[in-house]
Amino acid sequence: MTALRATGLVKDYRRGRAVDGVDLTVDAGERIGLLGPNGAGKTTTLLMCLGVVTPDAGTVEILGHRLPRERQKAMAGVGFVAGYLPLPNQLRVIEYLRMFGRLYGLRRPERAATTWLEHFGVPHLAKAMGTELSSGQKTLIGIVKAALHSPRLMVLDEPTASLDPDVALRVRTGLRRLSDEFGTALLVTSHNMVEVERLCERVVFMSAGKVVANGTAREVAERFGGDNLEDVFLQLAGKS
Ligand SMILES: Nc1ncnc2c1ncn2[C@@H]1O[C@H](COP(=O)(O)OP(=O)(O)OP(=O)(O)O)[C@@H](O)[C@H]1O
C-alpha cells in the first residue's frame, strides 16, 4: 500500500504562492528525502500532507485514508518529528512517553517507551525532566515519541538540525533500523546533503514551491550536471 500520495498541492500565503502544484508519493517502506533551499516550500508541503495546513488545491491520501475526512484513521499510522514541536517542561521523559503511548492506544506504553529509548541510544534520559534536556536531546525524545507506535510512515522535518555528528549518526542508524525492521516509510527534510544521501533511497528536490527533480541521489545530481546533491543544492539556491 502507498504510504503517502499527494497530488496537485497548492498553498497561497499573503506574500505569494508557497507551494505550487506539488505531487509527492511515498511507497510503503520507502525512504524519501525532501530537499530544497530555505523557503522552497518543504515544511508547508509536509504540513499539508499531515492535514495541519489546509491546501488551497490538491488531495492527500495517507495509508489509503483520504484527508481531511479520514485524518484520524490516517494519523494512527503516522509519526511526526520536528524541532519546533514543544515538549512539556513539567514531566519526566518517561511520563511524557507513557502519556503518548496511552494516546496511541498501546497495551504496554511503559515498555514501548523503554524499548524505543534504547533503540535511539538514550535510555539514560528516561528520568530527566523536560527542563533538563538540551535542544538536541529534546529532538531525540521527539523522535522516540513519534516511533512509539511503530508507525507505517514517519515524517521528519529537519530531525538532525540541532544534533552533533555523533548523535545525528545515532538518529540515522535508528531510523534506518526502524525502516528495515518495521518497514516504516520515511519522509525527511534536511539541509544535510550527506545525511540524505546516506539515509534516503530517493530524493525530491523543491525550488520556489515546485518539484524540480525526483530520483536517486545519483540520478538527480547527473540531471543537474553535478557530482553530488550539494552541487544541485547550490545551483538551485543560486537561482531562488
Ligand atoms: N504561516 C505562514 N504564513 C505566511 N507565509 C508562510 C507561512 N508559512 C510559510 N510561509 C511562506 O511560505 C514559503 C515556504 O515556506 P516553508 O517554510 O514551507 O519553506 P521551507 O522549504 O520549509 O524552508 P526552510 O528550509 O527555511 O525551512 C516561504 O516564503 C514562507 O515565508
Side-chain angles (χ1 to χ4, degrees):
M1 181 192 290
T2 306
L4 167 74
R5 189 190 306 280
T7 52
L9 290 180
V10 172
K11 186 69 194 177
D12 287 325
Y13 285 122
R14 204 164 46 88
R15 292 177 55 220
R17 183 155 285 194
V19 174
D20 190 6
V22 164
D23 296 331
L24 185 62
T25 302
V26 181
D27 285 330
E30 210 183 5
R31 298 188 301 274
I32 307 284
L34 183 61
L35 310 179
N38 290 129
K42 304 179 296 293
T43 298
T44 307
T45 299
L46 288 192
L47 294 179
M48 285 193 282
C49 288
L50 293 164
V52 177
V53 164
T54 306
D56 293 320
T59 61
V60 177
E61 199 179 289
I62 292 180
L63 303 167
H65 302 295
R66 181 76 182 264
L67 267 49
R69 194 163 34 91
E70 300 180 302
R71 182 166 189 267
Q72 203 174 346
K73 276 187 195 153
M75 286 304 126
V78 177
F80 177 45
V81 179
Y84 46 80
L85 293 179
L87 218 79
N89 285 334
Q90 301 308 326
L91 285 181
R92 295 192 186 281
V93 164
I94 192 75
E95 292 167 342
Y96 169 68
L97 294 175
R98 220 166 33 210
M99 180 183 82
F100 264 92
R102 283 201 204 99
L103 288 176
Y104 288 140
L106 301 182
R107 268 195 303 138
R108 300 166 97 170
E110 173 110 16
R111 181 150 161 200
T114 309
T115 303
W116 288 103
L117 283 167
E118 276 166 14
H119 181 103
F120 284 101
V122 284
H124 54 284
L125 295 181
K127 296 272 167 56
M129 299 291 289
T131 45
E132 294 168 338
L133 300 176
S134 72
S135 60
Q137 288 169 335
K138 281 185 184 161
T139 304
L140 269 165
I141 297 307
I143 294 173
V144 171
K145 182 208 84 182
L148 274 182
H149 58 315
S150 312
R152 311 303 306 154
L153 170 67
M154 187 106 134
V155 177
L156 305 103
D157 199 0
E158 296 191 47
T160 55
S162 59
L163 304 182
D164 70 43
D166 170 55
V167 180
L169 174 63
R170 225 181 299 164
V171 166
R172 259 198 323 270
T173 309
L175 290 174
R176 187 60 198 255
R177 274 184 54 206
L178 187 69
S179 154
D180 289 342
E181 291 174 22
F182 296 90
T184 299
L186 304 177
L187 176 60
V188 189
T189 71
S190 175
H191 289 121
N192 183 335
M193 299 299 121
V194 175
E195 167 172 291
V196 170
E197 295 204 56
R198 286 189 187 149
L199 181 63
C200 300
E201 301 156 306
R202 182 159 67 87
V203 296
V204 174
F205 248 103
M206 286 185 70
S207 180
K210 292 182 192 294
V211 172
V212 292
N214 184 346
T216 64
R218 181 185 289 264
E219 284 166 0
V220 169
E222 275 172 7
R223 190 173 147 218
F224 281 80
D227 286 334
N228 51 42
L229 290 179
E230 188 106 11
D231 290 344
V232 179
F233 194 95
L234 291 173
Q235 267 197 49
L236 289 173
K239 285 185 197 152
S240 65

